[in-house]
Each structure stands twice: as C-alpha cells, then as structure tokens.
C-alpha cells in the first residue's frame, strides 16, 4: 500500500478482507463498524487502512460465533483485558466443542464399523478378538425390572453423564457367565452405556482388556440359548475359560424395526488354559 492514510472504497476494503460489501453495509447499519468517511453528496462509504485491524478482530469474533451484541459490548470498552477475557471464554467453548466432536467422530466410526459388520457378518462364525479395556456406565436390573423402569434409569444416566443424545454412546446388556453356565439365559443383571469421551467419575464398570470370544446372533430371544451353547462348546474345544460377563450389543438397531431382525454381537472375556 503506497499510502496507508489513503481512503479505500467499500469495494476495495471488502476485497482486501475477503468479504462481501453487504457485510460492511450491515455492520455500518447496526453501528458495529462504521466507515471512516461517508461522502455527504452521494453517501458513498470510505474506509481507512488503519481500520483493518479492527475489522479483522470483528471477523475473528464472528468466526468464533460471538454474537453481534457481545461484539458491540466489547467495542464499547475495547481493551487488551476485555479482548483477552472474551477470547479466553471462546477458547474454552472451542475446547469443549472439540471434545464433543471427537466423541461424535468416535461414535460415527463405531456405527460405520457396525454397518460393515452387518454387510459381511457370518452368523455361524465364532472367533477370538482382542479388546482394549473400557469403562462403562451400568444400570442394575433384574428379570422383574419393567421396560419403563429401564428407560427411566437409562434416561437418568444420560443426563448424569451429560450425553446430548442417546446415540452419543453405544449401549447394550450384560449377563454373567455364571448365569449362562447355569442355563439362566434371561438373567440379565445390567444395562451398560459406553461413553465415548473421557470422564472422571467413580462407580464405573471396567470391561477388561484381553481376548474375547465373539459371535453374532439373529432370531427369537427364546432361542439365543442355542447360540450360547455353541459358543461354550467352541471355548471348551479351543481351551478357553470364559469369565465375567457376556456383553450383548445390537449392531443394526439403526436399520431395523423388528426384534427378530436384530443382529446381536456377543462378546465374552476368555483366557487360555
């Protein structure tokens, strides 16, 4: 710029900052950012080069979703201290949003893996997979716990752990290996919710790391005992000892309405003898 004191037309100033002229006109009309000079004869707006830093600050704040009202308040008392406070608050907001977006990405990736599994699943296959440890929120239930009560308890947990929606987490049911070994295939003891972001709270259930026997089941709930029978036979044949809980998760819940079409992923911790 040859002379920084030279006035720029609204078109030149808008182009310099990569925005539309209408944006500058709107800022002027709202009193947020006024031109240096308005020609009294024709009403043309002219801007000084030295106004650039002010406009860039406004544009930055708008990019951070700071409201016009907040920016107007800041502009009335523009100082290093007020800008530092405003930016600190928005950085904290961004940090929270980034944590949420990472959690959403993790959830989407899990749903995508589930859909790939649905497309390629072999219901007759039983395999051994490696699992990382994870902490889950659990809700204790019995055979007498009504469906309405289960919904009520799950809803309370999603609020307690600040989940925006239920789809922010994966969830399922847990039944002890002890119950399965005794033929009590409806003796579910817990509902679990896996929260996709780090939390620092006590009382969480730790699903251990290590090898898991995995299979999938589709059909009536009354016949799931046959699936578990095959799974236990496989474990005995492979020299595996099952322990803890069976973790059941429906992997195609988003694309089916009928319970008999649900594909249940079953995973049980296993150790080699």
């Amino acid at each position: 710029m040859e002379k920084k004191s030279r006035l720029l037309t609204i078109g030149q100033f808008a182009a310099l900052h990569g925005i539309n002229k209408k944006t500058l006109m709107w800022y002027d009309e709202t009193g947020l950012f006024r031109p240096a000079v308005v020609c009294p004869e024709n009403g043309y707006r002219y801007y000084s080069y030295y106004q650039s830093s002010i406009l860039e600050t406004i544009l930055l704040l708008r990019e951070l979703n700071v409201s016009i009202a907040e920016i107007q308040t800041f502009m009335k008392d523009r100082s290093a201290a007020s800008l530092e406070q405003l930016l600190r608050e928005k950085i904290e907001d961004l940090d929270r949003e980034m944590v949420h977006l990472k959690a959403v990405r993790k959830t989407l990736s899990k749903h995508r893996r589930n859909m790939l599994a649905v497309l390629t699943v072999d219901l007759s296959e039983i395999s051994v997979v490696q699992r990382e440890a994870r902490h889950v929120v659990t809700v204790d239930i019995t055979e007498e716990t009504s469906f309405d009560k289960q919904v009520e308890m799950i809803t309370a947990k999603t609020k307690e752990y600040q989940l925006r929606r239920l789809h922010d987490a994966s969830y399922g049911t847990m039944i002890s290996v002890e119950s399965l070994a005794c033929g009590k295939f409806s003796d579910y003891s817990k509902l679990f919710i896996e929260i996709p972001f780090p939390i620092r709270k006590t009382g969480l259930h730790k699903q251990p790391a290590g090898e898991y026997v995995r299979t999938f089941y589709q059909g009536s709930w009354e016949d799931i005992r046959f699936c578990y029978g095959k799974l236990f036979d496989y474990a005995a044949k492979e020299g595996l000892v099952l322990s803890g809980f069976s973790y059941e998760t429906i992997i195609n819940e988003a694309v089916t309405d009928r319970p008999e079409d649900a594909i249940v992923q079953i995973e049980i911790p296993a150790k080699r003898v």
Side-chain angles (χ1 to χ4, degrees), residues 222-259:
E222 292 78 11
D223 292 336
I224 199 170
R225 64 184 185 275
F226 299 118
C227 178
Y228 274 114
K230 294 177 181 177
L231 192 150
F232 273 77
D233 289 343
Y234 172 88
K237 181 181 177 181
E238 296 295 324
L240 298 168
V241 176
L242 306 180
S243 62
F245 291 91
S246 172
Y247 299 86
E248 297 182 1
T249 308
I250 299 176
I251 64 172
N252 64 335
E253 196 166 41
V255 293
T256 185
D257 296 324
R258 303 194 309 165

Side-chain angles (χ1 to χ4, degrees), residues 123 185 188 216-228 248 258-264 266:
L123 296 175
F185 299 104
Y188 290 94
F216 297 89
Y217 173 73
Q218 185 178 42
S220 68
W221 290 106
E222 292 78 11
D223 292 336
I224 199 170
R225 64 184 185 275
F226 299 118
C227 178
Y228 274 114
E248 297 182 1
R258 303 194 309 165
E260 60 269 28
D261 292 333
I263 298 177
V264 183
I266 299 171

Side-chain angles (χ1 to χ4, degrees), residues 9-22 24 47 55:
T9 66
I10 189 171
Q12 291 173 322
F13 200 66
L16 181 64
H17 293 279
I19 60 175
N20 193 290
K21 290 192 299 182
K22 291 183 178 179
L24 288 173
Y47 295 83
L55 178 60

